[in-house]
Amino acid sequence: MSGLIYIINGPNLNLLGQREPEIYGTTTLKDIENICLQIAKKNNINLKFLQSNAEHDLINWIHDARQEAKGLIINPAAYSHTSIAILDALTLFEEPIIEVHISNIHKRESFRHHSYVSQKSTAVIAGFGIDGYEIALEKMISLCSN
Ligand code: CA2
């Protein structure tokens, strides 16, 4: 399969591997990017792996993805639980969307149980740790190949 997939990461995920290892593990976001790039290479697809702490960056990247991506994987981090603006941007994206959470948000504080983004997601993966990115990318590649 050829084509482009976006992986967008929200606030604080740049610090992954540095704090709260009991919840988020010790792998860094750069490590996750490298794992995803290897999978992309093996499957002959292009990948944009992005992270920002700013809501408007995430929204602008979702707009960019409309023009060029066959699928979008997003860990919106805390914006999952707050951002109607990100939900609105995703509503304009017409290809498959997979929402990833490293932790199982349903086992955690009640304010994490609801995600606005899930309303527009094709699928949601939560609680598999950083393997969630790998699972999402493999599944996205097969969705985009159909
Ligand atoms: O489990 C996930 O992937 C989350 O999206 C992570 C978000 C959290 O707000 C969501 O409820 C669930 C938080 C990301 C914080 O990233 C950290 C990075 C380094 C150390 C600690 C947290």
Side-chain angles (χ1 to χ4, degrees):
M1 178 211 149
S2 60
L4 176 63
I5 292 172
Y6 270 52
I7 302 184
I8 298 177
N9 294 281
N12 299 308
L13 287 165
N14 55 312
L15 298 178
L16 210 60
Q18 296 178 33
R19 299 272 309 275
E20 300 185 81
E22 67 288 358
I23 300 176
Y24 298 110
T26 53
T27 309
T28 66
L29 198 62
K30 191 72 199 164
D31 295 331
I32 298 174
E33 179 175 4
N34 287 333
I35 292 166
C36 291
L37 284 171
Q38 276 180 26
I39 295 171
K41 195 173 170 193
K42 195 179 73 191
N43 287 279
N44 193 30
I45 59 147
N46 295 310
L47 196 68
K48 275 197 182 166
F49 193 96
L50 304 159
Q51 189 278 329
S52 177
N53 296 323
E55 190 175 22
H56 68 265
D57 284 338
L58 307 185
I59 292 166
N60 288 335
W61 289 333
I62 295 165
H63 292 176
D64 293 346
R66 289 181 69 218
Q67 309 301 322
E68 58 178 7
K70 282 192 161 180
L72 193 159
I73 296 166
I74 184 164
N75 182 347
Y79 286 138
S80 318
H81 318 300
T82 62
S83 181
I84 295 168
I86 290 176
L87 171 63
D88 285 347
L90 289 171
T91 300
L92 302 171
F93 184 77
E94 291 173 347
E95 305 295 343
I97 298 167
I98 303 181
E99 178 181 354
V100 173
H101 296 286
I102 296 167
S103 62
N104 180 354
I105 53 175
H106 302 288
K107 263 176 89 175
R108 301 184 64 193
E109 305 94 323
S110 58
F111 62 83
R112 295 187 203 275
H113 294 178
H114 176 261
S115 164
Y116 285 102
V117 169
S118 300
Q119 205 171 315
K120 184 60 191 23
S121 298
T122 311
V124 182
I125 297 167
F128 280 121
I130 63 132
D131 290 353
Y133 285 86
E134 214 172 311
I135 296 164
L137 185 53
E138 301 276 13
K139 282 288 177 192
M140 183 60 83
I141 291 167
S142 59
L143 275 180
C144 295
S145 307
N146 292 332

